[in-house]
Amino acid sequence: MSATPQRHRRTRRLTFAAIAVTAGAGAMVAAALPAGAASGGGTGKSRTVDVQMLSFNDFHGTLEPPQGSSGTVIERQADGTTKAIPAGGVEYLATGLREARKGHEYSVTAAAGDMIGGSPMLSGLFHDEPTVEALNKLKLDVSSVGNHEFDEGKTELRRMAYGGCHPVEGCFEFGKEFTGAEYKYLAANVTDEKTKRPLLNPTFIWQKGDVKIGFIGVTLEGTPDVVTADGVKGLKFGDEVETINKYAAELNKQGVKSIVALIHEGGLPANGAYNYDCDSPGAGAGISGAIVDIAKNVDPKVDALVTGHTHQAYACNIPDRAGNPRMVTSAASYGRLFTDTALTYDRQTKDIVRTAALAPKPVNKVVSRDQPKAPDMTELITRWNALAAPVASRPMGYISADIAGRGSEAPEKPLGDLIADAQLEATAPAAKGGAQLAIMNPGGIRADLAYKAAGAEGDGVVTYGESYTVQPFNNLMNIVDLTGAQLITALQQQVSGTVNGPNPKILQVSKGFTYTLDMTKTGADRIVVDSVKLNGAAIDPAKTYRVAMNEFLAGGGDGFTVLKEHKNKLVGVPDLEAFNAYLGKSTAAAPIAPPAADRITVVK
């Protein structure tokens, strides 16, 4: 549907005798230039200038500090142990970015998509207007779109970009009209099927004085696979590499030689610590996933790749196809990290210098919560919370301990089991669909449920705001007929195919549905077919079963194409309504305990 320590570095100045770099990859030839040497044709300016690029991705409207394990980053210690550090919250992100900019005459801030969508209630209830307002205050300059920018369709995305009050709910604050993004949203590979034109601007040129840097923004080509059909209706999503290379050439024709690609597609580092060295034992050796092939094939004209989508943290060097060093970064998610990169801009070639000695140096920095809060962000949160309070503070139910969801790295998540059970209970009555089992996509679980109170509700109380944050999409439940063979194919599609083969998406399942996942095997063979059972009885490939799922899955989302073959669909209640009804059966004396997460047996 899937971190950095606060290190302050002094950007390295030029100290070399001669440097020659391949054309199109930060080309520069200099002879005996001392550090900061003036070589600007008698202008008195130094030939090179340090440009700071601050970047982040997958913010998802997370204005308040995220709860549970979703609100920490893992830091690798010198002795090899790891430490969880609380991180995130726009009050702290604002402080971190503003402190980082100090002393930098040239500083640009960029993002790689999913700034909005899948948001907690504080933002999602107001169609992410609070987040756009916050990003404006953060002085974000440019962002690519991500798949979640399309959650409410292209018309709503344009409203986010250009302003105007919501067409149905109107203006949320009396006397104020939403003004839209002050930063540029880029969508180079998203075109309108009728006009064949890009939905939004494909490129943006950031300029300060005589320094120009061009940005190209793309989302993943597979966006239609991870967004509801209504969200991408009338749009075409092009190949990331082809699009970037096309616009890199166009920027070059405009005289822009320094180019950064903002790509809402990402990779998977071999270690989850934000400060893991993904260039060990060699450049880019510690990262896999879709971004690797993209990075290897993007034109050497492009000097850096800022990426996202996988919610991972990395700062790698994946050389371009000409063999020049090129940074590929991602700052995890939810504003827990940002990346600080020093770019050396050559005024003579108008390009970024990319040699072994002067390649851009990215550092992921933790948005720690032991720094002062930004007062303007506190005011923003307080103001929007006051509007949301009558709805958000309503208690929905009770839990006895943290229930891990988004923050869990396990294939089966306790919160996933809880949601699937809630969906089964809501759809099992004959009049409600007669479901025998329920399946839930893991990407639709947007947070954990934390036992500790976030406000005045008391420990163990789950508020509407918290349940909304877990399931913000308001997808309608679909109860459908699937054969046993189709069910087994769906399980196999979790771990195979072009979408899920490289990055498995394990469906969360309701009580009574069990099977074995053998991760020592590959592809579809990872599903032990004979182990798939419902209430202890083996699944019969020829038998028909009633299965509950959200409309996103029923439409074949997340690569589960076989689910589109369903029959006899009945549309049920919204998934959030089902979840809240299930929570509502708990009491303070009888709270819900975290499920054991023992329905999927994993062989490693």
Side-chain angles (χ1 to χ4, degrees), residues 230-299:
D230 284 346
V232 295
K233 187 176 181 180
L235 299 175
K236 182 179 180 181
F237 293 78
D239 181 84
E240 303 96 336
V241 172
E242 290 178 6
T243 304
I244 292 168
N245 291 349
K246 170 187 173 181
Y247 285 104
E250 289 197 10
L251 285 170
N252 266 206
K253 289 178 182 177
Q254 297 174 47
V256 179
K257 305 297 183 181
S258 297
I259 301 172
V260 175
L262 307 174
I263 310 172
H264 192 71
E265 179 60 287
L268 302 168
N271 186 289
Y274 79 87
N275 55 342
Y276 163 69
D277 182 6
C278 53
D279 288 330
S280 178
I287 188 170
S288 60
I291 199 61
V292 176
D293 283 341
I294 291 174
K296 289 178 178 178
N297 288 288
V298 163
D299 196 296

Side-chain angles (χ1 to χ4, degrees), residues 491 494 514-519 525-533 599-603:
L491 296 181
Q494 299 176 114
T514 58
Y515 69 95
T516 296
L517 178 66
D518 188 347
M519 296 304 288
D525 290 340
R526 288 174 166 174
I527 303 302
V528 181
V529 174
D530 293 344
S531 72
V532 184
K533 298 178 180 179
R599 300 165 190 180
I600 304 172
T601 300
V602 181
V603 178

Side-chain angles (χ1 to χ4, degrees), residues 349-363:
T349 64
K350 301 180 182 179
D351 212 343
I352 301 299
V353 181
R354 288 195 285 129
T355 65
L358 288 170
K361 306 294 183 183
V363 178

Side-chain angles (χ1 to χ4, degrees), residues 517-555:
L517 178 66
D518 188 347
M519 296 304 288
T520 67
K521 297 181 180 178
T522 59
D525 290 340
R526 288 174 166 174
I527 303 302
V528 181
V529 174
D530 293 344
S531 72
V532 184
K533 298 178 180 179
L534 179 61
N535 299 323
I539 290 291
D540 182 347
K543 186 177 176 181
T544 296
Y545 298 85
R546 290 293 280 170
V547 185
M549 66 192 76
N550 60 44
E551 59 187 322
F552 170 74
L553 276 178

Side-chain angles (χ1 to χ4, degrees), residues 249-566:
E250 289 197 10
L251 285 170
N252 266 206
K253 289 178 182 177
Q254 297 174 47
V256 179
K257 305 297 183 181
S258 297
I259 301 172
V260 175
L262 307 174
I263 310 172
H264 192 71
E265 179 60 287
L268 302 168
N271 186 289
Y274 79 87
N275 55 342
Y276 163 69
D277 182 6
C278 53
D279 288 330
S280 178
I287 188 170
S288 60
I291 199 61
V292 176
D293 283 341
I294 291 174
K296 289 178 178 178
N297 288 288
V298 163
D299 196 296
K301 295 183 182 71
V302 178
D303 297 296
L305 311 182
V306 177
T307 75
H309 189 55
T310 59
H311 289 209
Q312 301 297 308
Y314 47 84
C316 304
N317 167 28
I318 302 178
D320 64 27
R321 65 191 187 206
N324 304 292
R326 183 162 62 188
M327 57 163 264
V328 179
T329 68
S330 174
S333 59
Y334 307 140
R336 293 173 293 161
L337 304 171
F338 65 87
T339 310
D340 190 339
T341 304
L343 305 172
T344 301
Y345 181 90
D346 182 348
R347 284 188 165 107
Q348 189 172 98
T349 64
K350 301 180 182 179
D351 212 343
I352 301 299
V353 181
R354 288 195 285 129
T355 65
L358 288 170
K361 306 294 183 183
V363 178
N364 273 333
K365 295 184 175 180
V366 177
V367 178
S368 63
R369 299 182 198 162
D370 58 2
Q371 57 187 322
K373 295 180 179 181
D376 59 333
M377 294 301 178
T378 301
E379 184 277 331
L380 180 150
I381 289 171
T382 301
R383 178 162 46 85
W384 286 102
N385 262 330
L387 290 174
V391 176
S393 61
R394 293 203 316 259
M396 292 291 108
Y398 301 84
I399 57 176
S400 63
D402 289 351
I403 303 181
R406 190 73 180 192
S408 171
E409 297 293 330
E412 182 182 357
K413 307 173 193 308
L415 189 50
D417 286 358
L418 184 64
I419 291 170
D421 288 349
Q423 293 180 351
L424 177 60
E425 184 166 294
T427 57
K432 303 291 186 180
Q436 297 166 274
L437 69 144
I439 55 178
M440 171 66 190
N441 56 305
I445 307 168
R446 305 306 301 180
D448 301 338
L449 280 182
Y451 177 79
K452 183 174 176 58
E457 71 273 13
D459 291 347
V461 178
V462 180
T463 64
Y464 183 83
E466 290 168 334
S467 64
Y468 181 103
T469 294
V470 167
Q471 289 208 276
F473 300 115
N474 215 32
N475 278 320
L476 292 173
M477 294 304 302
N478 286 188
I479 307 90
V480 302
D481 282 354
L482 290 174
T483 66
Q486 289 170 325
L487 260 178
I488 291 169
T489 298
L491 296 181
Q492 292 171 332
Q493 288 181 341
Q494 299 176 114
V495 289
S496 62
T498 57
V499 176
N500 297 335
N503 184 23
K505 292 185 180 70
I506 306 304
L507 295 167
Q508 309 298 287
V509 298
S510 57
K511 57 188 174 183
F513 191 68
T514 58
Y515 69 95
T516 296
L517 178 66
D518 188 347
M519 296 304 288
T520 67
K521 297 181 180 178
T522 59
D525 290 340
R526 288 174 166 174
I527 303 302
V528 181
V529 174
D530 293 344
S531 72
V532 184
K533 298 178 180 179
L534 179 61
N535 299 323
I539 290 291
D540 182 347
K543 186 177 176 181
T544 296
Y545 298 85
R546 290 293 280 170
V547 185
M549 66 192 76
N550 60 44
E551 59 187 322
F552 170 74
L553 276 178
D558 270 353
F560 293 98
T561 55
V562 70
L563 297 180
K564 291 193 293 184
E565 300 172 11
H566 63 259

